[in-house]
Amino acid sequence: MKATNVLTPVAVAIALLRQGGILDPHQYLNHKSLAMERILRVLNEKKYLSVTLFKNLEDIVPTTSLQRQRAGRSQRASLLRTFCDRVLLAWYKRHPTSEPVPTSAVLVALSVEDRLARVHTRGRPLVSDEQANQAIAQMGKYLRSENYVGGIAAGLESLERSIDKNAAWIRFLQRMIDWDVKGWLCSLIVAWCSVKIYRLCRYSMAHM
């Protein structure tokens, strides 16, 4: 892309909101595949998830800037991270007022020719860094053979499993926190009685 056609974070955020969470300007995704159906299912069920694919960083960073910086892989990864953060910030600001604004957002970004993938979060964390890296690893198995739709589907489903698992754990912890003093006292009494009964049974069996 020429510098005049560079995608801005605001433009990407608006496109994601209007297009159901997918921005694929170079049409890397096969829209008539089972993997695409898996992608659409996850995005439909988890509205805070989005996916965008770029040909390379020249889609989002002016060529003159890349040449001036002579960006290596780490610098390119940093540029992608910064861009993703700005996209999600714009996504929050332009979220339709007719819908409840999610407390969290997750963006899966892929720069194909740079061989860079990122899972970026904003707001209340939904996945850990380790879980994000696991999703990227799942994607890599497909991306190496240029199966982009399969890679994105695998990555999203990995994130979906992690998010659901984390949510279940948080619900359990919340129940423990919400349990009143009487509940905790009763549980301690039950535990104490159980220990006493167990010791009594062992003593009785030993002297029979």
Side-chain angles (χ1 to χ4, degrees):
M1 279 191 178
K2 297 179 181 179
T4 54
N5 294 328
V6 168
L7 292 168
T8 66
V10 172
V12 172
I14 292 174
L16 291 173
L17 288 168
R18 290 178 176 175
Q19 297 170 191
I22 300 178
L23 177 61
D24 180 24
H26 298 284
Q27 299 182 344
Y28 286 108
L29 301 180
N30 178 3
H31 288 257
K32 295 182 179 180
S33 63
L34 292 176
M36 191 65 194
E37 292 180 8
R38 291 157 53 199
I39 291 173
L40 294 175
R41 179 193 63 78
V42 175
L43 295 179
N44 185 59
E45 292 179 2
K46 293 184 167 38
K47 303 291 187 181
Y48 46 80
L49 274 173
S50 300
V51 176
T52 183
L53 294 89
F54 307 116
K55 183 177 181 181
N56 51 49
L57 290 187
E58 291 181 14
D59 282 355
I60 58 176
V61 180
T63 306
T64 53
S65 298
L66 287 172
Q67 291 174 342
R68 184 168 60 250
Q69 295 181 29
R70 295 183 179 180
R73 184 170 180 81
S74 61
Q75 288 81 9
R76 288 176 177 268
S78 179
L79 289 169
L80 182 60
R81 180 176 64 250
T82 300
F83 185 83
C84 289
D85 197 56
R86 291 174 178 172
V87 168
L88 291 185
L89 180 61
W91 183 87
Y92 269 115
K93 290 183 176 179
R94 284 158 181 79
H95 204 276
T97 55
S98 58
E99 301 177 7
V101 179
T103 58
S104 307
V106 181
L107 175 63
V108 178
L110 179 64
S111 181
V112 175
E113 292 185 352
D114 294 301
R115 301 175 67 86
L116 289 175
R118 179 166 183 80
V119 174
H120 196 85
T121 62
R122 193 173 181 89
R124 181 171 59 84
L126 291 175
V127 293
S128 66
D129 290 343
E130 181 182 357
Q131 291 169 330
N133 289 333
Q134 287 174 355
I136 292 173
Q138 290 294 320
M139 293 169 59
K141 299 175 183 179
Y142 297 88
L143 300 181
R144 282 189 286 273
S145 60
E146 299 184 359
N147 181 0
Y148 302 112
V149 67
I152 294 296
L156 286 177
E157 288 176 340
S158 177
L159 289 172
E160 180 184 40
R161 290 191 296 270
S162 295
I163 290 170
D164 290 343
K165 181 174 68 174
N166 294 346
W169 175 243
I170 290 172
R171 285 195 299 269
F172 171 76
L173 291 178
Q174 191 61 49
R175 290 195 185 99
M176 295 297 98
I177 293 172
D178 293 341
W179 208 9
D180 59 18
V181 176
K182 291 182 179 179
W184 283 108
L185 182 60
C186 289
S187 66
L188 289 174
I189 293 173
V190 170
W192 183 82
C193 291
S194 298
V195 171
K196 289 296 184 181
I197 292 172
Y198 172 73
R199 289 177 175 174
L200 179 61
C201 291
R202 288 192 61 185
Y203 178 81
S204 300
M205 293 293 294
H207 292 81
M208 285 182 65

